[in-house]
Amino acid sequence: MRKEVLIGGFGGQGVILASVILGRAAAVYEGLHAVQTQAYGPESRGGASRAEVVISDEPIDYPKALAPDYAVLLSQQAYEKYLPLVKNGGLVIVEKDLVPKRNEELEKNFKVFAVPLTEIAEETTGLSLTMNILTLGLLVKLTGIVSEDSIEKAVLDSVPKGTENINLKALKKGFELGEKLLKGEI
């Protein structure tokens, strides 16, 4: 079992932190092998940002995503650049409000969930910054890549002290959103 996750967006969206948390959940709490890699533009805020997590039950011989099974695309630039890399039939989460120009023809190859993630994070916690954690909850619920318990522990380990409750609230909202999407209620 080798699963590849690509998260793309722009600096300031928490792309790197989300990937680190996912890798930690897999390696520390699930006992799996996990490798996290990242790349970002010269500008930390606003520049392109990409992170990959490879999770496997066997040692990982190549640390980069070759054909991601899952992608989280949080900006127009990330959508245009990375959607074509996703494996046919892969699952894609799109930040609906930040990706206004979508390619319906290309999307036919994937299972796409377009959700206003930033808006929902703001409504849930009062902070758009929690969108990355909300998205992790959604990804975990939709894919089962790690357990809800493991991702919760990894979030608690990784977020700044004093922000644990607000981040747990965002994570649980992501689980709830995923449940509704799976049931076709949204």
Side-chain angles (χ1 to χ4, degrees):
M1 179 267 329
R2 177 185 168 107
K3 292 293 180 190
E4 301 177 352
V5 180
L6 184 150
I7 305 172
F10 51 80
Q13 286 182 306
V15 167
I16 307 301
L17 178 60
S19 67
V20 168
I21 292 170
L22 180 59
R24 178 185 299 262
V28 175
Y29 297 108
E30 304 260 319
L32 297 167
H33 297 272
V35 179
Q36 183 270 342
T37 57
Q38 60 198 39
Y40 39 87
E43 326 82 10
S44 57
R45 291 217 178 263
S49 183
R50 168 186 174 162
E52 298 172 0
V53 183
V54 177
I55 298 171
S56 179
D57 55 359
E58 299 176 355
I60 296 167
D61 55 358
Y62 185 71
K64 303 286 282 172
L66 300 168
D69 300 278
Y70 312 119
V72 176
L73 306 174
L74 304 174
S75 71
Q76 188 69 47
Q77 182 184 14
Y79 177 87
E80 291 167 6
K81 195 170 181 181
Y82 305 132
L83 184 64
L85 304 179
V86 179
K87 179 186 288 183
N88 260 358
L91 183 140
V92 180
I93 297 171
V94 174
E95 204 319 342
K96 186 178 176 181
D97 293 339
L98 298 177
V99 184
K101 293 183 229 131
R102 295 177 39 211
N103 182 334
E104 290 179 26
E105 191 58 37
L106 186 57
E107 283 187 14
K108 289 178 184 174
N109 298 318
F110 314 108
K111 186 164 181 105
V112 178
F113 295 94
V115 183
L117 300 162
T118 307
E119 178 186 320
I120 294 169
E122 282 179 5
E123 289 170 359
T124 303
T125 66
L127 291 172
S128 61
L129 289 174
T130 59
M131 180 268 291
N132 62 335
I133 305 299
L134 180 137
T135 305
L136 273 178
L138 177 58
L139 177 70
V140 166
K141 187 56 135 181
L142 293 175
T143 66
I145 192 162
V146 295
S147 72
E148 291 178 26
D149 187 51
S150 294
I151 198 75
E152 189 172 319
K153 288 176 182 172
V155 165
L156 290 173
D157 279 356
S158 306
V159 298
K161 296 297 167 222
T163 68
E164 296 92 347
N165 288 341
I166 202 162
N167 280 291
L168 278 183
K169 189 174 183 182
L171 184 70
K172 290 181 179 185
K173 183 64 173 186
F175 295 156
E176 181 186 309
L177 269 175
E179 186 69 31
K180 287 181 178 177
L181 286 166
L182 287 171
K183 289 180 177 175
E185 294 173 4
I186 301 178

